[in-house]
Amino acid sequence: MAVVDVIKSCLDSIAQISEHVEGAILYLDSGCTESFQFAGAFPVLLELGVRAICSLENMCSLDSVVNWNSNSDPALKIVVMTSRLLSDAHRYILRCLSTHKGVHQCTVFTSISELAQSAYPDSPLGPDAFHEYEILLLQDYEEIVKKSQKKASHPEASNFQESLTFEDEGWSRLTSSEEDVSHSEATSSGKYFFGDSHTEYLGKKLVVSVHHFPMILCPFSPKVFVLPSEGSVSEAYLSAKHDDSLSPGLPPISTGAPPDGDDVPPGALLTAHFLYHLAAKMDLKMEIFSLGDLSKTVGKIMTDMSSLYDVGRRKRSAGLLLIDRTLDLLTPCCHGDSLVDCMFSSLPRRERTTSYSSVKGSKTQLKLVPSSLQRAPLDVQIPLGKILQEEKSDTNDSQLAERIEAFLGGWDACNSSPETVDLVNLCNKVHDGKSFLSEIQLLNGSFVSNETFRGTPYMEAILDRRTKDGALLVKKWLQETLRRQNITVNVKIRPGFATKSELQPMIRALAKSQSSLIRNKGIVQLGAAVLVALDELHSTRWNAFASAEKILSATAGDTSQSLGAQIGDLIHKSTMLGSDGDKKTEHLQGLLSFKDALLLMTVGYILAGENFPTSGSGGPFSWKEEHFLKEAIVDAILKNAPVVKLKFLDGLTEELEANLNRKKSEDTIEASSDQLEFDDDQWGKWGDEEEDDDKNDKKQAYSDMQLKLELLDRVDNLFKSLHKLSTVKRNVSLREGTFSSESNFTGDSDSNKSLIYKLLTRVLGKYDVPGLEYHSTTVGRLFKSGFGRFGLGQTKPSLADQNIIMVFVVGGINAAEVREVQEALSESGRPDVELILGGTTFLTPDDMLTLLMGDSSYM
């Protein structure tokens, strides 16, 4: 029986569209680029005969001259692959067609199915979405051609390309052309004029075709995947703003009433369609189970999509377990012992591309729904150039930098249209520190999931490793690679440890020549990423977080007073670092900033909700305990105004900064006046001066009091959101006691495990799971409603009976959960089970702070 492999399925799907991409210029949007990078699909695309692979959002006219193949004929085909709705990608597709003159065929692949395109809220496309879009794209393209002809006949008019501004290329152009019936068909042949009386004979009608390509995902390993960060599925909101919502990027708090009808969030709709077509591509017949309100909605949509034809086809049976992220917010908020989590939190990410605007004038804005949800890009930027740089090779480095600088400057000069390029000035920029080499970040590495060491994928091997074990494994790979290539490195190796001083010389030795760097790029990039994670700046902060979380967890087992005091202590000590940056505290909390303390307070409130569910009417702490916490937060904000950039302070940040600067200046003036040689106080002040000073003092005191009252009001809103977090465990039937009361298969050591671990342990042990809902297929419902009366009813299947189980967390996963999933599988004694883990996105603790308190929150 074939093994389930997400990476292989993705690459096989690409091979199936070979006739479309052969000889074409391929444009990928940011979501597809991220997906293909993780899957290692770029070499496959070039082998299939792709002329060039270009960015859809950052396209330019030079794309047409880039050709990786020997064929020098002008490109006649354009292929666009997008992870977004056609309405969002339209302006970029139209810009491609207007730039590449003489193209005969345009093929568009979208990861959003035709049914999802039409069912998306306020979508301008109907049930036959793909065919409708083909007609509308042709209409807009014909309009562009006619305008270009007018521009050619009137040279005094402004350039047409300048009129195609970013805002005017949106969906509004396409819908307006829909009303023009006379433009329903494209011209079959004729001469099209572009620019300065330049003509291109198209010879025949432009052929546009739209297809569905569902395999746009980011595989970390053959059995772990998430969705692209800049795709429509991951950016669609999972909950609208209401009392039970925390963030548009998280499912609502489960209350036992799943959203239905018009209340179904677009994120649930698109997720259901993605999973349905993913299973179809992998030839899996899913038995769907769900836990959580939004997951139940996703499961219901998937079962409604199933048909007798789908059930009757020969497919491998598999179980799909859908879980709401909000059922376990503690795990992604904590800093677990995971090398991959540490690397993703330490490495810088690629900057987001230009944001896609949603449909203008949509009804969603009336429902207080965000126009877009911005996920953190998954594409990390491994600083290879910085790590590989030798201290004593300034001359060689500068020569290489000058050559690359001059080449890129000459290439980029085509856009700025000077006839000559001053290469000397370009080279001088390198030494001036203003070089745009720093902007494009040369020699930046990225993770690629299909790169292997003797058949073992790097990412798969370290994904479930703890920090120390993972670093030792990478060190072992580096040593074996050096040994195989007969490269000697003068470094002292300590067994059982992996340090920066050991790894860096080995990485530099493997990257000493260009051929060696290219040959060993996989292990070099991974080793460089481990170096960044082990750097003292990042590792010390991560360990400080982990220690503080352990203290909070231990204190939560005591009383609410002790937990509240511990949270307040963390907040007070975080201000010491902000107000006196030079002062180093002996305790670990001195390493954490005020924003870090807020994340720890979030962890504390989640723990308090689990351990003290009835402490107070409005929260897990008493009024007095919470009052002290509020006062600590207000004082910390007043002391750290310039560094606190959170959503609940929107509109108040400038006033807080001005207040802090004023107090600093007053302290400076007071300190300088104390050093004056002459004491003027003996003369006193005249009556008028005293009266003016009193008025100013009273006015300033009133202003300070007004600012503090406004800040207290904002802090009250912050604590209302924290109260929601503390109620998450109370609103679900799956509680800690339920796991341990009915059986003894969980011990005390499992109390800090994630929900996925506890759930899988229970499922694979064939125990009942309260709240787990099974979604009957079409045939199952038929047996239950019709044939059941004749004794032919279908028994409810068990998830444990499946040899293939896919777990999908609606809202996202982290690497610590990957390890615990593998632990649950190994402890179950079921080596025959293939387990696939997926999620909406990859979450780090900083991402969770953004979702719960930052720009992506409903605070």
Side-chain angles (χ1 to χ4, degrees), residues 126-182:
D128 194 12
F130 287 174
H131 180 64
E132 290 177 24
Y133 182 73
E134 292 170 1
I135 296 174
L136 294 172
L137 182 59
L138 283 171
Q139 289 176 353
D140 274 12
Y141 180 64
E142 181 187 3
E143 185 179 346
I144 286 178
V145 172
K146 289 185 177 181
K147 286 186 177 180
S148 63
Q149 291 174 345
K150 292 180 181 178
K151 297 293 180 182
S153 59
H154 300 285
E156 68 279 359
S158 62
N159 195 323
F160 173 65
Q161 289 294 333
E162 296 177 359
S163 67
L164 262 176
T165 60
F166 213 61
E167 292 78 9
D168 294 337
E169 293 179 66
W171 190 254
S172 58
R173 281 183 46 80
L174 189 129
T175 51
S176 64
S177 64
E178 183 181 2
E179 300 172 359
D180 191 354
V181 183
S182 62

Side-chain angles (χ1 to χ4, degrees), residues 41-67:
F42 294 115
V44 176
L45 289 168
L46 295 177
E47 288 175 3
L48 294 177
V50 173
R51 293 175 63 99
I53 303 174
C54 308
S55 169
L56 179 64
E57 296 92 348
N58 301 315
M59 64 89 58
C60 70
S61 56
L62 289 176
D63 294 342
S64 59
V65 302
V66 179
N67 188 358

Side-chain angles (χ1 to χ4, degrees), residues 11-33:
L11 298 179
D12 289 345
S13 296
I14 294 175
Q16 292 171 6
I17 62 171
S18 57
E19 62 179 78
H20 293 283
V21 299
E22 184 180 3
I25 298 178
L26 177 61
Y27 279 95
L28 304 177
D29 72 353
S30 52
C32 290
T33 303

Side-chain angles (χ1 to χ4, degrees), residues 76-124:
L76 301 179
K77 291 197 303 183
I78 286 181
V79 176
V80 176
M81 302 190 74
T82 177
S83 59
R84 295 190 171 272
L85 295 164
L86 293 172
S87 55
D88 290 337
H90 173 67
R91 58 184 177 187
Y92 298 104
I93 299 173
L94 197 59
R95 190 167 60 174
C96 281
L97 292 176
S98 65
T99 303
H100 294 284
K101 312 169 181 68
V103 171
H104 291 170
Q105 183 177 348
C106 175
T107 306
V108 180
F109 289 96
T110 173
S111 65
I112 312 298
S113 67
E114 188 169 29
L115 185 58
Q117 298 273 357
S118 60
Y120 192 83
D122 305 316
S123 172

Side-chain angles (χ1 to χ4, degrees), residues 4 275-289 302-303 306-321 774-780 783 794 797-799 801-806:
V4 176
L275 291 172
Y276 177 83
H277 291 284
L278 172 66
K281 271 289 183 183
M282 300 177 70
D283 287 329
L284 299 176
K285 181 175 75 98
M286 292 293 191
E287 299 289 350
I288 304 171
F289 300 81
M302 292 184 68
T303 52
S306 64
S307 63
L308 291 174
Y309 171 73
D310 293 329
V311 175
R313 296 177 63 188
R314 290 186 177 181
K315 296 181 178 180
R316 298 175 65 184
S317 179
L320 173 62
L321 176 57
Y774 169 68
H775 299 267
S776 298
T777 59
T778 304
V779 172
F783 270 103
Q794 187 184 36
S798 172
L799 190 59
D801 295 335
Q802 304 292 334
N803 290 329
I804 301 174
I805 299 177
M806 179 185 292

Side-chain angles (χ1 to χ4, degrees), residues 651-660 707 710:
L652 202 62
T653 307
E654 293 183 2
E655 295 181 37
L656 290 170
E657 291 184 6
N659 179 70
L660 182 63
L707 178 62
E710 175 67 23

